[in-house]
PDB file of all heavy atoms in Angstrom:
ATOM      1  N   LYS A  71       0.418  99.763  16.764  1.00  0.00           N
ATOM      2  CA  LYS A  71      -0.298  98.497  16.930  1.00  0.00           C
ATOM      3  C   LYS A  71      -1.788  98.688  17.157  1.00  0.00           C
ATOM      4  O   LYS A  71      -2.560  97.751  17.071  1.00  0.00           O
ATOM      5  CB  LYS A  71       0.307  97.705  18.081  1.00  0.00           C
ATOM      6  CG  LYS A  71       1.718  97.274  17.792  1.00  0.00           C
ATOM      7  CD  LYS A  71       2.305  96.473  18.898  1.00  0.00           C
ATOM      8  CE  LYS A  71       3.726  96.109  18.502  1.00  0.00           C
ATOM      9  NZ  LYS A  71       4.387  95.303  19.454  1.00  0.00           N
ATOM     10  N   VAL A  72      -2.211  99.905  17.424  1.00  0.00           N
ATOM     11  CA  VAL A  72      -3.606 100.190  17.739  1.00  0.00           C
ATOM     12  C   VAL A  72      -4.306 100.942  16.610  1.00  0.00           C
ATOM     13  O   VAL A  72      -5.453 100.676  16.305  1.00  0.00           O
ATOM     14  CB  VAL A  72      -3.694 101.005  19.055  1.00  0.00           C
ATOM     15  CG1 VAL A  72      -5.115 101.397  19.363  1.00  0.00           C
ATOM     16  CG2 VAL A  72      -3.089 100.226  20.194  1.00  0.00           C
ATOM     17  N   CYS A  73      -3.595 101.892  16.008  1.00  0.00           N
ATOM     18  CA  CYS A  73      -4.228 102.734  15.004  1.00  0.00           C
ATOM     19  C   CYS A  73      -3.382 102.826  13.740  1.00  0.00           C
ATOM     20  O   CYS A  73      -2.201 102.506  13.750  1.00  0.00           O
ATOM     21  CB  CYS A  73      -4.493 104.125  15.566  1.00  0.00           C
ATOM     22  SG  CYS A  73      -3.011 105.055  15.965  1.00  0.00           S
ATOM     23  N   LEU A  74      -4.019 103.280  12.665  1.00  0.00           N
ATOM     24  CA  LEU A  74      -3.367 103.369  11.361  1.00  0.00           C
ATOM     25  C   LEU A  74      -3.779 104.666  10.684  1.00  0.00           C
ATOM     26  O   LEU A  74      -4.976 104.926  10.502  1.00  0.00           O
ATOM     27  CB  LEU A  74      -3.772 102.175  10.492  1.00  0.00           C
ATOM     28  CG  LEU A  74      -3.257 102.152   9.064  1.00  0.00           C
ATOM     29  CD1 LEU A  74      -1.734 102.074   9.035  1.00  0.00           C
ATOM     30  CD2 LEU A  74      -3.869 100.979   8.316  1.00  0.00           C
ATOM     31  N   ARG A  75      -2.810 105.445  10.303  1.00  0.00           N
ATOM     32  CA  ARG A  75      -3.089 106.682   9.571  1.00  0.00           C
ATOM     33  C   ARG A  75      -3.265 106.341   8.102  1.00  0.00           C
ATOM     34  O   ARG A  75      -2.376 105.784   7.464  1.00  0.00           O
ATOM     35  CB  ARG A  75      -1.949 107.676   9.759  1.00  0.00           C
ATOM     36  CG  ARG A  75      -2.308 109.034   9.262  1.00  0.00           C
ATOM     37  CD  ARG A  75      -1.426 110.078   9.845  1.00  0.00           C
ATOM     38  NE  ARG A  75      -1.915 111.400   9.472  1.00  0.00           N
ATOM     39  CZ  ARG A  75      -1.375 112.511   9.891  1.00  0.00           C
ATOM     40  NH1 ARG A  75      -0.361 112.473  10.707  1.00  0.00           N
ATOM     41  NH2 ARG A  75      -1.859 113.657   9.496  1.00  0.00           N
ATOM     42  N   ILE A  76      -4.452 106.661   7.548  1.00  0.00           N
ATOM     43  CA  ILE A  76      -4.761 106.285   6.169  1.00  0.00           C
ATOM     44  C   ILE A  76      -4.761 107.473   5.210  1.00  0.00           C
ATOM     45  O   ILE A  76      -4.798 107.282   4.002  1.00  0.00           O
ATOM     46  CB  ILE A  76      -6.109 105.543   6.075  1.00  0.00           C
ATOM     47  CG1 ILE A  76      -7.256 106.421   6.545  1.00  0.00           C
ATOM     48  CG2 ILE A  76      -6.046 104.232   6.841  1.00  0.00           C
ATOM     49  CD1 ILE A  76      -8.626 105.850   6.243  1.00  0.00           C
ATOM     50  N   SER A  77      -4.734 108.683   5.765  1.00  0.00           N
ATOM     51  CA  SER A  77      -4.637 109.890   4.947  1.00  0.00           C
ATOM     52  C   SER A  77      -4.129 111.010   5.838  1.00  0.00           C
ATOM     53  O   SER A  77      -3.927 110.814   7.041  1.00  0.00           O
ATOM     54  CB  SER A  77      -5.988 110.260   4.333  1.00  0.00           C
ATOM     55  OG  SER A  77      -6.889 110.689   5.325  1.00  0.00           O
ATOM     56  N   ARG A  78      -3.961 112.168   5.242  1.00  0.00           N
ATOM     57  CA  ARG A  78      -3.458 113.295   6.010  1.00  0.00           C
ATOM     58  C   ARG A  78      -4.408 113.688   7.130  1.00  0.00           C
ATOM     59  O   ARG A  78      -3.980 114.230   8.153  1.00  0.00           O
ATOM     60  CB  ARG A  78      -3.243 114.476   5.072  1.00  0.00           C
ATOM     61  CG  ARG A  78      -2.237 115.458   5.573  1.00  0.00           C
ATOM     62  CD  ARG A  78      -1.979 116.506   4.552  1.00  0.00           C
ATOM     63  NE  ARG A  78      -2.982 117.555   4.755  1.00  0.00           N
ATOM     64  CZ  ARG A  78      -3.163 118.578   3.975  1.00  0.00           C
ATOM     65  NH1 ARG A  78      -2.455 118.698   2.892  1.00  0.00           N
ATOM     66  NH2 ARG A  78      -4.079 119.476   4.234  1.00  0.00           N
ATOM     67  N   ASN A  79      -5.697 113.394   6.972  1.00  0.00           N
ATOM     68  CA  ASN A  79      -6.659 113.831   7.982  1.00  0.00           C
ATOM     69  C   ASN A  79      -7.452 112.714   8.651  1.00  0.00           C
ATOM     70  O   ASN A  79      -8.412 112.987   9.353  1.00  0.00           O
ATOM     71  CB  ASN A  79      -7.627 114.858   7.387  1.00  0.00           C
ATOM     72  CG  ASN A  79      -8.515 114.263   6.321  1.00  0.00           C
ATOM     73  OD1 ASN A  79      -8.265 113.167   5.848  1.00  0.00           O
ATOM     74  ND2 ASN A  79      -9.552 114.979   5.950  1.00  0.00           N
ATOM     75  N   THR A  80      -7.063 111.439   8.458  1.00  0.00           N
ATOM     76  CA  THR A  80      -7.837 110.335   9.057  1.00  0.00           C
ATOM     77  C   THR A  80      -6.933 109.264   9.655  1.00  0.00           C
ATOM     78  O   THR A  80      -5.983 108.810   9.015  1.00  0.00           O
ATOM     79  CB  THR A  80      -8.755 109.672   8.006  1.00  0.00           C
ATOM     80  OG1 THR A  80      -9.566 110.678   7.404  1.00  0.00           O
ATOM     81  CG2 THR A  80      -9.642 108.617   8.632  1.00  0.00           C
ATOM     82  N   VAL A  81      -7.273 108.852  10.875  1.00  0.00           N
ATOM     83  CA  VAL A  81      -6.637 107.717  11.553  1.00  0.00           C
ATOM     84  C   VAL A  81      -7.755 106.766  11.939  1.00  0.00           C
ATOM     85  O   VAL A  81      -8.749 107.182  12.535  1.00  0.00           O
ATOM     86  CB  VAL A  81      -5.869 108.162  12.816  1.00  0.00           C
ATOM     87  CG1 VAL A  81      -5.411 106.967  13.625  1.00  0.00           C
ATOM     88  CG2 VAL A  81      -4.686 109.038  12.449  1.00  0.00           C
ATOM     89  N   ILE A  82      -7.614 105.483  11.583  1.00  0.00           N
ATOM     90  CA  ILE A  82      -8.604 104.473  11.973  1.00  0.00           C
ATOM     91  C   ILE A  82      -8.005 103.559  13.033  1.00  0.00           C
ATOM     92  O   ILE A  82      -6.791 103.474  13.182  1.00  0.00           O
ATOM     93  CB  ILE A  82      -9.076 103.624  10.765  1.00  0.00           C
ATOM     94  CG1 ILE A  82      -7.927 102.807  10.186  1.00  0.00           C
ATOM     95  CG2 ILE A  82      -9.743 104.497   9.716  1.00  0.00           C
ATOM     96  CD1 ILE A  82      -8.348 101.701   9.246  1.00  0.00           C
ATOM     97  N   MET A  83      -8.892 102.886  13.748  1.00  0.00           N
ATOM     98  CA  MET A  83      -8.452 101.901  14.733  1.00  0.00           C
ATOM     99  C   MET A  83      -8.468 100.530  14.058  1.00  0.00           C
ATOM    100  O   MET A  83      -9.456 100.161  13.419  1.00  0.00           O
ATOM    101  CB  MET A  83      -9.386 101.916  15.937  1.00  0.00           C
ATOM    102  CG  MET A  83      -9.499 103.291  16.594  1.00  0.00           C
ATOM    103  SD  MET A  83      -7.943 103.997  17.132  1.00  0.00           S
ATOM    104  CE  MET A  83      -7.742 103.137  18.663  1.00  0.00           C
ATOM    105  N   TYR A  84      -7.375  99.790  14.178  1.00  0.00           N
ATOM    106  CA  TYR A  84      -7.267  98.475  13.547  1.00  0.00           C
ATOM    107  C   TYR A  84      -8.425  97.546  13.904  1.00  0.00           C
ATOM    108  O   TYR A  84      -8.919  96.800  13.070  1.00  0.00           O
ATOM    109  CB  TYR A  84      -5.974  97.769  13.973  1.00  0.00           C
ATOM    110  CG  TYR A  84      -4.757  98.134  13.184  1.00  0.00           C
ATOM    111  CD1 TYR A  84      -3.700  98.794  13.790  1.00  0.00           C
ATOM    112  CD2 TYR A  84      -4.636  97.801  11.838  1.00  0.00           C
ATOM    113  CE1 TYR A  84      -2.558  99.104  13.083  1.00  0.00           C
ATOM    114  CE2 TYR A  84      -3.506  98.115  11.119  1.00  0.00           C
ATOM    115  CZ  TYR A  84      -2.467  98.768  11.750  1.00  0.00           C
ATOM    116  OH  TYR A  84      -1.345  99.085  11.041  1.00  0.00           O
ATOM    117  N   ALA A  85      -8.858  97.580  15.160  1.00  0.00           N
ATOM    118  CA  ALA A  85      -9.868  96.628  15.633  1.00  0.00           C
ATOM    119  C   ALA A  85     -11.166  96.694  14.848  1.00  0.00           C
ATOM    120  O   ALA A  85     -11.925  95.726  14.829  1.00  0.00           O
ATOM    121  CB  ALA A  85     -10.154  96.868  17.115  1.00  0.00           C
ATOM    122  N   TYR A  86     -11.434  97.803  14.182  1.00  0.00           N
ATOM    123  CA  TYR A  86     -12.688  97.950  13.454  1.00  0.00           C
ATOM    124  C   TYR A  86     -12.527  97.864  11.938  1.00  0.00           C
ATOM    125  O   TYR A  86     -13.507  97.979  11.215  1.00  0.00           O
ATOM    126  CB  TYR A  86     -13.380  99.265  13.855  1.00  0.00           C
ATOM    127  CG  TYR A  86     -13.736  99.244  15.317  1.00  0.00           C
ATOM    128  CD1 TYR A  86     -12.940  99.874  16.261  1.00  0.00           C
ATOM    129  CD2 TYR A  86     -14.833  98.515  15.760  1.00  0.00           C
ATOM    130  CE1 TYR A  86     -13.245  99.806  17.612  1.00  0.00           C
ATOM    131  CE2 TYR A  86     -15.149  98.443  17.105  1.00  0.00           C
ATOM    132  CZ  TYR A  86     -14.342  99.089  18.021  1.00  0.00           C
ATOM    133  OH  TYR A  86     -14.652  99.009  19.344  1.00  0.00           O
ATOM    134  N   ALA A  87     -11.302  97.656  11.473  1.00  0.00           N
ATOM    135  CA  ALA A  87     -11.072  97.497  10.033  1.00  0.00           C
ATOM    136  C   ALA A  87     -11.640  96.152   9.593  1.00  0.00           C
ATOM    137  O   ALA A  87     -11.400  95.119  10.223  1.00  0.00           O
ATOM    138  CB  ALA A  87      -9.584  97.557   9.725  1.00  0.00           C
ATOM    139  N   ILE A  88     -12.448  96.170   8.521  1.00  0.00           N
ATOM    140  CA  ILE A  88     -13.038  94.914   8.043  1.00  0.00           C
ATOM    141  C   ILE A  88     -12.600  94.559   6.634  1.00  0.00           C
ATOM    142  O   ILE A  88     -12.609  93.385   6.274  1.00  0.00           O
ATOM    143  CB  ILE A  88     -14.585  94.938   8.125  1.00  0.00           C
ATOM    144  CG1 ILE A  88     -15.153  96.123   7.366  1.00  0.00           C
ATOM    145  CG2 ILE A  88     -15.037  94.914   9.573  1.00  0.00           C
ATOM    146  CD1 ILE A  88     -16.668  96.112   7.255  1.00  0.00           C
ATOM    147  N   SER A  89     -12.199  95.544   5.830  1.00  0.00           N
ATOM    148  CA  SER A  89     -11.731  95.251   4.476  1.00  0.00           C
ATOM    149  C   SER A  89     -11.044  96.475   3.882  1.00  0.00           C
ATOM    150  O   SER A  89     -11.149  97.581   4.427  1.00  0.00           O
ATOM    151  CB  SER A  89     -12.892  94.836   3.569  1.00  0.00           C
ATOM    152  OG  SER A  89     -13.775  95.923   3.381  1.00  0.00           O
ATOM    153  N   PHE A  90     -10.337  96.238   2.774  1.00  0.00           N
ATOM    154  CA  PHE A  90      -9.739  97.359   2.062  1.00  0.00           C
ATOM    155  C   PHE A  90      -9.575  96.985   0.599  1.00  0.00           C
ATOM    156  O   PHE A  90      -9.530  95.813   0.240  1.00  0.00           O
ATOM    157  CB  PHE A  90      -8.405  97.786   2.675  1.00  0.00           C
ATOM    158  CG  PHE A  90      -7.286  96.793   2.530  1.00  0.00           C
ATOM    159  CD1 PHE A  90      -6.321  96.967   1.545  1.00  0.00           C
ATOM    160  CD2 PHE A  90      -7.183  95.709   3.382  1.00  0.00           C
ATOM    161  CE1 PHE A  90      -5.280  96.072   1.411  1.00  0.00           C
ATOM    162  CE2 PHE A  90      -6.150  94.805   3.258  1.00  0.00           C
ATOM    163  CZ  PHE A  90      -5.193  94.987   2.269  1.00  0.00           C
ATOM    164  N   THR A  91      -9.547  98.016  -0.239  1.00  0.00           N
ATOM    165  CA  THR A  91      -9.309  97.847  -1.662  1.00  0.00           C
ATOM    166  C   THR A  91      -8.105  98.712  -2.028  1.00  0.00           C
ATOM    167  O   THR A  91      -7.451  99.270  -1.140  1.00  0.00           O
ATOM    168  CB  THR A  91     -10.529  98.305  -2.496  1.00  0.00           C
ATOM    169  OG1 THR A  91     -10.705  99.719  -2.317  1.00  0.00           O
ATOM    170  CG2 THR A  91     -11.794  97.561  -2.101  1.00  0.00           C
ATOM    171  N   GLU A  92      -7.875  98.839  -3.303  1.00  0.00           N
ATOM    172  CA  GLU A  92      -6.763  99.665  -3.767  1.00  0.00           C
ATOM    173  C   GLU A  92      -6.894 101.108  -3.272  1.00  0.00           C
ATOM    174  O   GLU A  92      -5.901 101.737  -2.922  1.00  0.00           O
ATOM    175  CB  GLU A  92      -6.708  99.641  -5.298  1.00  0.00           C
ATOM    176  CG  GLU A  92      -5.571 100.417  -5.902  1.00  0.00           C
ATOM    177  CD  GLU A  92      -4.201  99.813  -5.625  1.00  0.00           C
ATOM    178  OE1 GLU A  92      -4.108  98.590  -5.424  1.00  0.00           O
ATOM    179  OE2 GLU A  92      -3.229 100.584  -5.607  1.00  0.00           O
ATOM    180  N   ASP A  93      -8.118 101.624  -3.206  1.00  0.00           N
ATOM    181  CA  ASP A  93      -8.331 103.044  -2.907  1.00  0.00           C
ATOM    182  C   ASP A  93      -9.131 103.346  -1.651  1.00  0.00           C
ATOM    183  O   ASP A  93      -9.312 104.513  -1.309  1.00  0.00           O
ATOM    184  CB  ASP A  93      -9.047 103.711  -4.092  1.00  0.00           C
ATOM    185  CG  ASP A  93      -8.230 103.632  -5.364  1.00  0.00           C
ATOM    186  OD1 ASP A  93      -7.007 103.861  -5.289  1.00  0.00           O
ATOM    187  OD2 ASP A  93      -8.810 103.345  -6.420  1.00  0.00           O
ATOM    188  N   THR A  94      -9.649 102.347  -0.951  1.00  0.00           N
ATOM    189  CA  THR A  94     -10.486 102.602   0.221  1.00  0.00           C
ATOM    190  C   THR A  94     -10.201 101.616   1.359  1.00  0.00           C
ATOM    191  O   THR A  94      -9.689 100.521   1.125  1.00  0.00           O
ATOM    192  CB  THR A  94     -11.988 102.496  -0.103  1.00  0.00           C
ATOM    193  OG1 THR A  94     -12.269 101.167  -0.533  1.00  0.00           O
ATOM    194  CG2 THR A  94     -12.414 103.498  -1.149  1.00  0.00           C
ATOM    195  N   VAL A  95     -10.581 102.035   2.552  1.00  0.00           N
ATOM    196  CA  VAL A  95     -10.551 101.179   3.738  1.00  0.00           C
ATOM    197  C   VAL A  95     -11.944 101.229   4.338  1.00  0.00           C
ATOM    198  O   VAL A  95     -12.543 102.297   4.448  1.00  0.00           O
ATOM    199  CB  VAL A  95      -9.528 101.669   4.786  1.00  0.00           C
ATOM    200  CG1 VAL A  95      -9.620 100.849   6.060  1.00  0.00           C
ATOM    201  CG2 VAL A  95      -8.130 101.637   4.245  1.00  0.00           C
ATOM    202  N   CYS A  96     -12.467 100.076   4.739  1.00  0.00           N
ATOM    203  CA  CYS A  96     -13.793 100.003   5.351  1.00  0.00           C
ATOM    204  C   CYS A  96     -13.658  99.602   6.808  1.00  0.00           C
ATOM    205  O   CYS A  96     -12.889  98.699   7.147  1.00  0.00           O
ATOM    206  CB  CYS A  96     -14.671  98.988   4.629  1.00  0.00           C
ATOM    207  SG  CYS A  96     -15.026  99.447   2.930  1.00  0.00           S
ATOM    208  N   ILE A  97     -14.425 100.284   7.652  1.00  0.00           N
ATOM    209  CA  ILE A  97     -14.494  99.917   9.060  1.00  0.00           C
ATOM    210  C   ILE A  97     -15.947  99.682   9.425  1.00  0.00           C
ATOM    211  O   ILE A  97     -16.854 100.189   8.772  1.00  0.00           O
ATOM    212  CB  ILE A  97     -13.857 100.984   9.982  1.00  0.00           C
ATOM    213  CG1 ILE A  97     -14.589 102.314   9.881  1.00  0.00           C
ATOM    214  CG2 ILE A  97     -12.378 101.154   9.689  1.00  0.00           C
ATOM    215  CD1 ILE A  97     -14.092 103.355  10.879  1.00  0.00           C
ATOM    216  N   SER A  98     -16.163  98.901  10.472  1.00  0.00           N
ATOM    217  CA  SER A  98     -17.512  98.568  10.912  1.00  0.00           C
ATOM    218  C   SER A  98     -17.880  99.418  12.108  1.00  0.00           C
ATOM    219  O   SER A  98     -17.155  99.464  13.098  1.00  0.00           O
ATOM    220  CB  SER A  98     -17.564  97.088  11.290  1.00  0.00           C
ATOM    221  OG  SER A  98     -18.810  96.771  11.840  1.00  0.00           O
ATOM    222  N   GLU A  99     -19.005 100.106  12.012  1.00  0.00           N
ATOM    223  CA  GLU A  99     -19.531 100.877  13.130  1.00  0.00           C
ATOM    224  C   GLU A  99     -20.508  99.980  13.881  1.00  0.00           C
ATOM    225  O   GLU A  99     -21.630  99.755  13.442  1.00  0.00           O
ATOM    226  CB  GLU A  99     -20.223 102.143  12.622  1.00  0.00           C
ATOM    227  CG  GLU A  99     -20.651 103.062  13.715  1.00  0.00           C
ATOM    228  CD  GLU A  99     -21.260 104.342  13.174  1.00  0.00           C
ATOM    229  OE1 GLU A  99     -21.825 104.330  12.075  1.00  0.00           O
ATOM    230  OE2 GLU A  99     -21.169 105.345  13.885  1.00  0.00           O
ATOM    231  N   SER A 100     -20.072  99.452  15.000  1.00  0.00           N
ATOM    232  CA  SER A 100     -20.819  98.413  15.703  1.00  0.00           C
ATOM    233  C   SER A 100     -22.179  98.863  16.230  1.00  0.00           C
ATOM    234  O   SER A 100     -23.102  98.061  16.299  1.00  0.00           O
ATOM    235  CB  SER A 100     -19.982  97.848  16.849  1.00  0.00           C
ATOM    236  OG  SER A 100     -19.616  98.876  17.730  1.00  0.00           O
ATOM    237  N   SER A 101     -22.332 100.123  16.598  1.00  0.00           N
ATOM    238  CA  SER A 101     -23.592 100.558  17.196  1.00  0.00           C
ATOM    239  C   SER A 101     -24.759 100.503  16.217  1.00  0.00           C
ATOM    240  O   SER A 101     -25.886 100.240  16.597  1.00  0.00           O
ATOM    241  CB  SER A 101     -23.460 101.968  17.762  1.00  0.00           C
ATOM    242  OG  SER A 101     -23.234 102.890  16.714  1.00  0.00           O
ATOM    243  N   SER A 102     -24.498 100.763  14.937  1.00  0.00           N
ATOM    244  CA  SER A 102     -25.594 100.778  13.964  1.00  0.00           C
ATOM    245  C   SER A 102     -25.406  99.740  12.859  1.00  0.00           C
ATOM    246  O   SER A 102     -26.154  99.735  11.895  1.00  0.00           O
ATOM    247  CB  SER A 102     -25.693 102.168  13.333  1.00  0.00           C
ATOM    248  OG  SER A 102     -24.507 102.464  12.625  1.00  0.00           O
ATOM    249  N   ASN A 103     -24.427  98.886  13.002  1.00  0.00           N
ATOM    250  CA  ASN A 103     -24.109  97.864  11.997  1.00  0.00           C
ATOM    251  C   ASN A 103     -23.881  98.465  10.614  1.00  0.00           C
ATOM    252  O   ASN A 103     -24.171  97.844   9.608  1.00  0.00           O
ATOM    253  CB  ASN A 103     -25.197  96.787  11.936  1.00  0.00           C
ATOM    254  CG  ASN A 103     -25.227  95.981  13.211  1.00  0.00           C
ATOM    255  OD1 ASN A 103     -24.184  95.735  13.824  1.00  0.00           O
ATOM    256  ND2 ASN A 103     -26.406  95.578  13.622  1.00  0.00           N
ATOM    257  N   ARG A 104     -23.382  99.702  10.588  1.00  0.00           N
ATOM    258  CA  ARG A 104     -23.046 100.350   9.325  1.00  0.00           C
ATOM    259  C   ARG A 104     -21.584 100.098   9.000  1.00  0.00           C
ATOM    260  O   ARG A 104     -20.767  99.883   9.885  1.00  0.00           O
ATOM    261  CB  ARG A 104     -23.239 101.865   9.398  1.00  0.00           C
ATOM    262  CG  ARG A 104     -24.647 102.315   9.450  1.00  0.00           C
ATOM    263  CD  ARG A 104     -24.781 103.808   9.334  1.00  0.00           C
ATOM    264  NE  ARG A 104     -23.718 104.519  10.067  1.00  0.00           N
ATOM    265  CZ  ARG A 104     -23.407 105.792   9.862  1.00  0.00           C
ATOM    266  NH1 ARG A 104     -24.048 106.490   8.966  1.00  0.00           N
ATOM    267  NH2 ARG A 104     -22.465 106.380  10.562  1.00  0.00           N
ATOM    268  N   THR A 105     -21.284 100.173   7.715  1.00  0.00           N
ATOM    269  CA  THR A 105     -19.904 100.114   7.264  1.00  0.00           C
ATOM    270  C   THR A 105     -19.523 101.488   6.749  1.00  0.00           C
ATOM    271  O   THR A 105     -20.231 102.067   5.930  1.00  0.00           O
ATOM    272  CB  THR A 105     -19.733  99.063   6.146  1.00  0.00           C
ATOM    273  OG1 THR A 105     -20.100  97.788   6.667  1.00  0.00           O
ATOM    274  CG2 THR A 105     -18.318  99.021   5.653  1.00  0.00           C
ATOM    275  N   LEU A 106     -18.427 102.008   7.256  1.00  0.00           N
ATOM    276  CA  LEU A 106     -17.929 103.305   6.813  1.00  0.00           C
ATOM    277  C   LEU A 106     -16.741 103.084   5.891  1.00  0.00           C
ATOM    278  O   LEU A 106     -15.878 102.263   6.174  1.00  0.00           O
ATOM    279  CB  LEU A 106     -17.501 104.151   8.009  1.00  0.00           C
ATOM    280  CG  LEU A 106     -18.562 104.405   9.061  1.00  0.00           C
ATOM    281  CD1 LEU A 106     -17.955 105.113  10.266  1.00  0.00           C
ATOM    282  CD2 LEU A 106     -19.687 105.236   8.483  1.00  0.00           C
ATOM    283  N   SER A 107     -16.700 103.830   4.802  1.00  0.00           N
ATOM    284  CA  SER A 107     -15.637 103.691   3.818  1.00  0.00           C
ATOM    285  C   SER A 107     -14.848 104.992   3.753  1.00  0.00           C
ATOM    286  O   SER A 107     -15.435 106.070   3.668  1.00  0.00           O
ATOM    287  CB  SER A 107     -16.249 103.359   2.457  1.00  0.00           C
ATOM    288  OG  SER A 107     -15.240 103.200   1.507  1.00  0.00           O
ATOM    289  N   PHE A 108     -13.520 104.878   3.786  1.00  0.00           N
ATOM    290  CA  PHE A 108     -12.642 106.042   3.748  1.00  0.00           C
ATOM    291  C   PHE A 108     -11.693 105.935   2.566  1.00  0.00           C
ATOM    292  O   PHE A 108     -11.117 104.866   2.318  1.00  0.00           O
ATOM    293  CB  PHE A 108     -11.804 106.124   5.030  1.00  0.00           C
ATOM    294  CG  PHE A 108     -12.618 106.305   6.267  1.00  0.00           C
ATOM    295  CD1 PHE A 108     -12.991 105.211   7.029  1.00  0.00           C
ATOM    296  CD2 PHE A 108     -13.021 107.563   6.673  1.00  0.00           C
ATOM    297  CE1 PHE A 108     -13.743 105.366   8.172  1.00  0.00           C
ATOM    298  CE2 PHE A 108     -13.779 107.732   7.822  1.00  0.00           C
ATOM    299  CZ  PHE A 108     -14.145 106.632   8.574  1.00  0.00           C
TER     300      PHE A 108
END
Side-chain angles (χ1 to χ4, degrees):
K71 295 181 181 182
V72 176
C73 65
L74 176 63
R75 191 161 187 177
I76 61 169
S77 69
R78 204 174 87 187
N79 66 347
T80 306
V81 171
I82 64 165
M83 303 303 279
Y84 276 115
Y86 297 99
I88 56 173
S89 66
F90 68 101
T91 65
E92 182 68 27
D93 299 317
T94 62
V95 174
C96 296
I97 62 174
S98 174
E99 187 177 28
S100 58
S101 65
S102 63
N103 293 325
R104 289 188 321 163
T105 299
L106 303 173
S107 181
F108 297 95

